[in-house]
């Protein structure tokens, strides 16, 4: 190889090393930035700053969703929605160094919204069938056909007040979210949840008995 060729190779290698060094420097510099500086850069459209924010706080958002017993699909939606809220409100945040707290509050609020939506659209009667104690279902009789019993429960569930449907959909599960979270979801004092649940179950039991009689 000629001297000029060697020089070109060395120059190319140096250029490649310089580019790699610049990339490492940029990554390191972003990682060393304070949260406030990251928020400022993100507001200017710096993609690396956004990636660093997601890296620092994404796990916390997902953990919030899991704490509220969200299913994996809803946790993923929670992540997207929470970051979208930050994009929408980034210019309104007066204390950018506290964006972690802002994200945590937003994640909790969005988790509650997802829980409300789940209780509204989830097949409440089907959930009750899977989880309700046998004591609240009709005793087996000469018609021990599962489909008929399910139809009775669904008919009774349809007559239940929406407030009771929402409450029972959230409490009669394999993995309940706890009364504190229920209080926020339902806008109901913690001390009222137990008695209200009991009244709703008793009302459902009476409706089941009525539907069972009409089915004879």
């Amino acid at each position: 190889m000629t001297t000029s060729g060697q020089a070109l190779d060395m120059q190319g290698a140096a250029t490649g090393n310089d580019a790699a060094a610049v990339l490492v420097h940029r990554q390191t510099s972003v990682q060393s930035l304070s949260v406030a500086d990251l928020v400022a850069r993100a507001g200017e459209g710096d993609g690396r700053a956004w990636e660093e924010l997601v890296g620092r706080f994404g796990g916390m958002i997902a953990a919030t969703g899991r704490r509220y017993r969200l299913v994996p699909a809803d946790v993923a939606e929670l992540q997207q929605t929470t970051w979208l809220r930050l994009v929408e409100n980034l210019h309104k945040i007066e204390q950018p160094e506290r964006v972690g707290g802002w994200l945590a509050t937003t994640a909790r609020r969005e988790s509650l919204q997802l829980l409300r939506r789940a209780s509204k659209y989830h097949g409440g009667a089907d959930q009750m069938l899977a989880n309700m104690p046998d004591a609240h279902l009709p005793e087996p009789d000469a018609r021990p056909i599962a489909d008929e019993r399910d139809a009775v429960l669904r008919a009774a569930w349809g007559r239940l007040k929406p407030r009771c449907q929402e409450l029972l959909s959230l409490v009669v599960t394999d993995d309940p979210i706890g009364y504190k979270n229920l209080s926020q979801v339902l806008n109901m004092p913690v001390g009222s949840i137990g008695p209200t649940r009991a009244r709703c179950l008793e009302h459902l039991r009476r409706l089941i008995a009525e539907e069972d009689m009409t089915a004879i």
Side-chain angles (χ1 to χ4, degrees):
M1 180 179 294
T2 64
T3 302
S4 59
Q6 292 175 335
L8 287 173
D9 287 344
M10 292 175 63
Q11 183 178 5
T15 301
N17 290 335
D18 290 343
V22 169
L23 178 61
V24 171
H25 174 71
R26 287 177 177 176
Q27 292 174 337
T28 302
S29 62
V30 170
Q31 293 171 355
S32 64
L33 289 175
S34 67
V35 172
D37 289 337
L38 286 173
V39 171
R41 288 200 182 188
E44 296 170 356
D46 189 332
R48 294 187 304 276
W50 277 111
E51 291 174 1
E52 181 63 20
L53 285 171
V54 171
R56 293 190 190 186
F57 299 109
M60 175 270 293
I61 295 172
T64 299
R66 289 191 293 270
R67 189 164 63 248
Y68 280 85
R69 305 295 192 268
L70 297 181
V71 298
D74 284 345
V75 171
E77 182 174 345
L78 173 66
Q79 287 267 21
Q80 295 177 358
T81 304
T82 303
W83 289 113
L84 177 60
R85 295 289 177 264
L86 181 59
V87 171
E88 294 170 343
N89 294 279
L90 197 61
H91 63 288
K92 300 178 184 178
I93 296 179
E94 297 179 353
Q95 296 178 301
E97 69 277 5
R98 297 185 179 180
V99 74
W102 188 94
L103 286 167
T105 299
T106 301
R108 289 194 296 271
R109 185 181 300 119
E110 295 298 332
S111 293
L112 293 173
Q113 290 293 336
L114 287 166
L115 281 174
R116 290 190 184 98
R117 188 184 70 182
S119 68
K120 181 177 180 180
Y121 293 108
H122 191 281
D126 294 335
Q127 191 173 4
M128 291 293 296
L129 280 170
N131 296 285
M132 189 163 58
D134 291 339
H136 294 285
L137 294 173
E139 289 295 326
D141 56 15
R143 302 172 290 100
I145 302 174
D147 288 345
E148 291 184 4
R149 193 180 80 158
D150 293 356
V152 165
L153 178 55
R154 291 191 179 94
W157 182 266
R159 295 172 57 192
L160 199 61
K161 293 180 180 179
R163 185 69 164 170
C164 282
Q165 290 182 353
E166 185 177 24
L167 172 58
L168 294 180
S169 292
L170 290 169
V171 299
V172 187
T173 65
D174 292 326
D175 195 11
I177 64 173
Y179 277 17
K180 182 177 179 180
N181 292 333
L182 275 173
S183 175
Q184 294 177 288
V185 173
L186 300 172
N187 193 25
M188 178 186 299
V190 172
S192 298
I193 294 175
T196 303
R197 172 182 178 273
R199 287 194 296 270
C200 288
L201 281 172
E202 175 59 23
H203 187 203
L204 180 61
R205 186 194 64 77
R206 292 197 303 270
L207 291 174
I208 288 172
E210 292 175 7
E211 291 293 336
D212 195 40
M213 289 296 295
T214 59
I216 296 175

